[in-house]
Amino acid sequence: MPQAPHPHDTGVLLDVDDVTGLDTLRHPVAAAWRAAVQTGADRRPGHRMPALLDRLRGTAGPVVYLARDLPSPHREGRTARRVRARLHRLGMPPGPLLVVPPEEAPAALDRVLTGGPAQRWTLVGGDSAEVTSLLLEAAGRHPARTAAVLLRQAAPYGGVRLAGSDLVDRMGDVPVVRAPHGEGLLARLAGRRRAAEAADDPAVAAWFLDAHQRGNDRTRTPAWTTGNEVTPLVHGRTYFPALLEALDGAGEGDLVLVCDWRGDPDQRLVDDGPTVAQALAAAADRGVTVKGLLWRSHWDRLQFSQEQNRDLSEGLADHGAEVLLDQRVRPLGSHHQKVVVIRHRHDPARDVAFVGGIDLAHSRRDDDEHGGDPQTQPFADPYGGSPAWHDVQLRLRGPVVRAVEDTFRERWQDPAVLSRLPWHVLPDLLRGADREPDPLPDPAPPPPPAGPAAVQLLRTYPNRWPGYPFAPDGERTAARGYAKALLRAQRLVYVEDQYLWSTDVAQVFAAALRRCPRLHLVAVVPRHPDQDGALTARAALLGHMEALERVREAGGDRVTVVDVENRRGEPVYVHAKVCVVDDVWATVGSDNFNRRSWTHDSELTAAVLDSTRDPREPRDPGGLGDGARRYARDLRLQLWREHLDSDRGGADDATLLDPDAAVRALRAQADALQRWYDGGRTGERPPGRLRPHRVAEQPRLLRLAVAPVYRTVFDPDGRPPRMRLRGLH
């Protein structure tokens, strides 16, 4: 006999522990901590929940209260009466109270959702890991019966747990909303529904951080932009000519903005063409406004670029350009963003931005043959005199160009002095160096749409004193963006990275591997660290080894880590910072997969989600309805073809499309090449350039000795102290 329809459309189920203070009886230490860190508004009794419940249930919808794990069985009745009395004092709507042991809470939720007096239910509770898991799993089991999941945050939105579920904002079609109180939950739920109704591509909101998840309401950059053209420029010999063409196209009244970690003034952009300094100086001589921010680098004797950056700055000043040396970071930090923006006053359709991992520096002008750049920088001995260099930059057109420009403007307009270090200030005063940025021209409106891609800029800024005006507590959208994407990963995460060496980062990948048993992780990394000193090299290897141990423990043989060589067998230094998830979401930028890049240095990465679906099978490898996207899939295939010596459009392409088959093919080639080496390199060299990545085990005492150097110098933490203590980003 069919079940009779429920008399009400929407009901509310509230986990009462967080609202009534019942959790303080079970966890007094945690309650004391919350009392210390929360503001008065957030300690307000009931957290403004009565109005929320009244709005959610409409005129007469049912409300059910759930209490788990009351202090002791023999006092259950008395405590339940206290809970009901507190609900009444708080002005909560009347409704039954379900008292169950923690292990029975999922079954109790199932009974309410399937047999309660409503068609659909809104699930409300606190944001503890226990409650979040309980409510999200219930929504996953009963999506047709769940209208929304609302989680009241224990403190204002100041951080997220990267390896947890804090960035889950949807369970299938069920929205998941977080806010510090009832009014905020209502507002964000309404905003989420409006955004969903207006979205042309629902996948964009599912993969990208929304404004609240970014955790920084002081930046002028938008959460994301749409209508962009995105072109990957793999290797410096592809990027530098494209940059030169764009610079040569700038004329009087146009604007060129440059951010970089290192700038070598004599680095050639093409074989017989101008250097970096000459190209920028020529633009300034034509009447282009040229502004730049170069990191105020550490000493050259430490293999940094203090002299080169200073020479580029001072040389361009003679042509009317203003390129400043910027040390507005933490003492051991750096400005690591690699950006060029070109705005055309009379033709905004030609506006362009370049974002990625390639510095305007020596050793970067390599190509896919990996013979190296004739102009080299001092580097680790295993890479030889002209290190082979693998890297990626993006060319962006469309509204995102203005967002990249705004990132530059925020840094330029930072009122903090460029450097307060005495050994910087005194030489600057003696040389008459420019220490005060001049005003920038007024910003032009965003360029018109140019393509089918949505782009979200992911950034890192540290917690600094005084704070950045545009990020008072720093910004960690790079870390959060990766964490949210990995929550959605189902089949394949592909990474190319210079420094995959932080356990903080590895645990995010490990959580994804544990959550999804079909998920593969493929990582392409350098064969050797870029450090020559015995102590520094061992410190770098320590972090790398610990990170690989963490992901391999979680994923087992679903984790494939390889390094690259050229056809002569010389190791290729992988400087790229690329991530592709399920051929849907892809990033290229300056941030590495380590704690320094996710918390401590300034970074800028572009996450791209193309609206063009790829018709090649499998059309939806993740199985979530997002569909493979042309840009992300083509980027992965381009990189894999290079590493596997495969032709575009050849028979190998069909193998590389399916995630499982692609991983098998990649591993088979890497293993075959390694066997050739192990066998004494007899016979013809197998195709491909990948070999399994091996890291020598380090003795325990040595690991203990170098750990302090690694954690303080190589991989420092730039988060506010309160976030470090709570494990938040």
Side-chain angles (χ1 to χ4, degrees):
M1 182 175 179
Q3 185 177 6
H6 295 304
H8 302 289
D9 290 333
T10 304
V12 181
L13 186 143
L14 173 67
D15 184 284
V16 302
D17 291 13
D18 178 60
V19 175
T20 62
L22 182 62
D23 57 340
T24 64
L25 301 176
R26 297 198 308 272
H27 307 293
V29 175
W33 170 252
R34 286 196 300 273
V37 301
Q38 287 177 343
T39 64
D42 295 297
R43 292 196 298 267
R44 184 179 301 175
H47 311 298
R48 295 175 250 184
M49 287 294 190
L52 170 70
L53 269 57
D54 284 336
R55 290 283 301 276
L56 291 174
R57 73 192 189 103
T59 55
V63 177
V64 175
Y65 300 98
L66 177 69
R68 299 163 291 105
D69 193 20
L70 291 175
S72 61
H74 69 276
R75 292 194 295 130
E76 182 174 303
R78 183 174 62 187
T79 307
R81 288 194 296 273
R82 290 172 54 193
V83 171
R84 291 190 182 94
R86 178 152 178 79
L87 291 171
H88 178 73
R89 288 196 301 273
L90 292 173
M92 298 291 188
L97 172 65
L98 303 181
V99 179
V100 297
E103 64 274 11
E104 296 181 14
L109 275 172
D110 291 344
R111 289 193 295 272
V112 173
L113 291 175
T114 58
Q119 289 279 11
R120 304 182 76 206
W121 293 82
T122 300
L123 309 182
V124 185
D127 72 338
S128 68
E130 179 185 6
V131 175
T132 299
S133 176
L134 175 69
L135 300 185
L136 292 183
E137 289 174 5
R141 292 193 300 272
H142 307 286
R145 295 284 191 179
T146 309
V149 178
L150 309 185
L151 300 170
R152 194 204 75 82
Q153 293 165 318
Y157 202 99
V160 298
R161 302 170 188 87
L162 295 183
S165 56
D166 290 9
L167 289 167
V168 173
D169 58 6
R170 185 165 294 276
M171 291 293 292
D173 293 330
V174 179
V176 180
V177 177
R178 294 169 173 83
H181 45 69
E183 293 172 10
L185 287 168
L186 270 177
R188 292 184 186 177
L189 179 60
R192 182 76 61 79
R193 287 171 172 165
R194 287 193 301 270
E197 292 171 357
D200 294 329
D201 186 354
V204 173
W207 287 88
F208 284 176
L209 299 169
D210 65 29
H212 301 291
Q213 290 170 335
R214 292 201 300 171
N216 179 14
D217 59 3
R218 299 289 291 275
T219 177
R220 72 183 71 170
T221 60
W224 64 74
T225 60
T226 57
N228 302 295
E229 176 191 84
V230 182
T231 305
L233 306 174
V234 181
H235 305 305
R237 280 190 179 267
T238 305
Y239 167 43
F240 285 170
L243 173 62
L244 178 59
E245 181 182 9
L247 289 173
D248 285 348
E252 184 176 0
D254 294 341
L255 177 66
V256 171
L257 308 173
V258 179
C259 289
D260 215 335
W261 180 81
R262 178 184 178 117
D264 286 309
D266 63 338
Q267 172 62 47
R268 291 196 176 277
L269 297 178
V270 293
D271 286 335
D272 56 352
T275 65
V276 168
Q278 289 169 345
L280 291 172
D285 291 342
R286 293 193 302 271
V288 178
T289 299
V290 177
K291 304 287 186 180
L293 292 169
L294 295 176
W295 174 45
R296 182 68 179 258
S297 179
H298 302 317
W299 296 312
D300 292 337
R301 71 189 66 172
L302 299 177
Q303 294 189 356
F304 288 100
S305 53
Q306 182 183 61
E307 181 180 347
Q308 292 85 352
N309 290 3
R310 184 180 64 244
D311 288 348
L312 181 58
S313 171
E314 293 178 352
L316 289 174
D318 295 337
H319 296 265
E322 186 177 20
V323 178
L324 304 178
L325 300 179
D326 188 358
Q327 183 58 24
R328 291 172 290 188
V329 290
R330 293 169 70 93
L332 294 178
S334 74
H335 280 302
H336 200 238
Q337 297 169 340
K338 308 163 198 308
V339 174
V340 179
V341 177
I342 302 173
R343 301 296 307 269
H344 297 270
R345 182 174 61 172
H346 299 300
D347 191 2
R350 296 172 57 211
D351 291 351
V352 64
F354 299 92
V355 173
I358 303 182
D359 298 283
L360 303 177
H362 293 166
S363 294
R364 273 59 170 182
R365 196 165 64 94
D366 200 356
D367 58 22
D368 59 1
E369 292 297 320
H370 291 306
D373 185 344
Q375 297 175 278
T376 63
Q377 69 178 68
F379 212 64
D381 288 342
Y383 292 97
S386 180
W389 199 278
H390 177 74
D391 220 333
V392 184
Q393 194 86 354
L394 294 182
R395 180 174 59 206
L396 306 172
R397 298 188 187 277
V400 68
V401 173
R402 170 60 189 272
V404 179
E405 178 187 354
D406 283 341
T407 292
F408 180 94
R409 286 178 176 273
E410 287 180 337
R411 278 185 54 190
W412 185 270
Q413 294 165 353
D414 180 359
V417 295
L418 289 170
S419 177
R420 292 175 295 173
L421 301 175
W423 54 90
H424 287 167
V425 174
L426 184 58
D428 285 353
L429 294 176
L430 292 175
R431 287 197 307 270
D434 187 357
R435 293 178 54 84
E436 293 289 337
D438 292 338
L440 291 170
D442 291 338
V455 180
Q456 178 164 68
L457 298 182
L458 303 175
R459 313 188 306 182
T460 300
Y461 290 105
N463 176 50
R464 187 199 71 178
W465 190 88
Y468 296 101
F470 53 87
D473 288 329
E475 180 176 322
R476 288 157 294 280
T477 49
R480 295 180 181 195
Y482 286 114
K484 182 173 181 179
L486 288 170
L487 283 169
R488 204 164 175 82
Q490 301 294 315
R491 298 288 300 283
L492 176 61
V493 176
Y494 176 62
V495 168
E496 293 187 356
D497 193 59
Q498 174 189 14
Y499 296 137
L500 180 58
W501 65 6
S502 171
T503 53
D504 283 7
V505 173
Q507 70 179 356
V508 184
F509 289 92
L513 289 163
R514 290 191 183 97
R515 174 186 52 79
C516 188
R518 296 186 65 193
L519 182 64
H520 286 271
L521 169 64
V522 176
V524 178
V525 298
R527 183 169 297 169
H528 308 285
D530 58 355
Q531 307 291 328
D532 266 336
L535 178 63
T536 55
R538 290 189 181 278
L541 286 173
L542 170 65
H544 186 51
M545 182 177 64
E546 290 180 344
L548 295 185
E549 287 174 350
R550 186 71 59 92
V551 295
R552 284 170 171 157
E553 179 185 355
D557 61 3
R558 292 181 289 125
V559 175
T560 303
V561 184
V562 291
D563 50 49
V564 189
E565 62 183 36
N566 61 22
R567 293 189 181 96
R568 296 187 299 274
E570 299 165 340
V572 174
Y573 188 66
V574 178
H575 190 262
K577 304 96 168 59
V578 176
C579 183
V580 182
V581 180
D582 287 342
D583 288 351
V584 178
W585 178 92
T587 61
V588 173
S590 70
D591 71 282
N592 293 294
F593 289 101
N594 59 6
R595 186 171 63 184
R596 172 183 281 277
S597 278
W598 281 18
T599 69
H600 194 272
D601 293 351
S602 73
E603 306 283 4
L604 182 65
T605 287
V608 180
L609 204 155
D610 180 10
S611 63
T612 305
R613 295 186 178 235
D614 188 68
R616 293 168 290 183
E617 295 291 348
R619 297 188 179 189
D620 187 21
L624 299 178
D626 301 324
R629 303 303 171 107
R630 180 61 67 94
Y631 167 83
R633 177 170 275 175
D634 282 351
L635 174 61
R636 179 178 67 83
L637 290 178
Q638 179 180 359
L639 296 170
W640 284 39
R641 290 187 197 109
E642 175 187 321
H643 299 324
L644 299 176
D645 281 331
S646 173
D647 294 330
R648 179 181 177 88
D652 290 341
D653 264 10
T655 301
L656 299 182
L657 288 171
D658 178 76
D660 294 339
V663 172
R664 287 195 298 269
L666 182 145
R667 294 175 70 167
Q669 276 208 8
D671 291 342
L673 184 56
Q674 186 61 52
R675 285 194 300 270
W676 182 73
Y677 276 99
D678 294 341
R681 293 186 285 185
T682 59
E684 185 178 356
R685 183 185 184 278
R689 311 181 193 182
L690 301 176
R691 291 167 63 183
H693 183 62
R694 297 173 175 177
V695 181
E697 181 71 23
Q698 299 191 50
R700 178 172 176 79
L701 288 179
L702 182 60
R703 294 172 68 168
L704 292 175
V706 301
V709 177
Y710 161 68
R711 302 192 192 287
T712 58
V713 177
F714 283 85
D715 207 25
D717 194 333
R719 293 173 292 172
R722 65 182 183 277
M723 288 190 181
R724 298 188 205 181
L725 290 171
R726 300 177 66 192
L728 302 177
H729 281 75

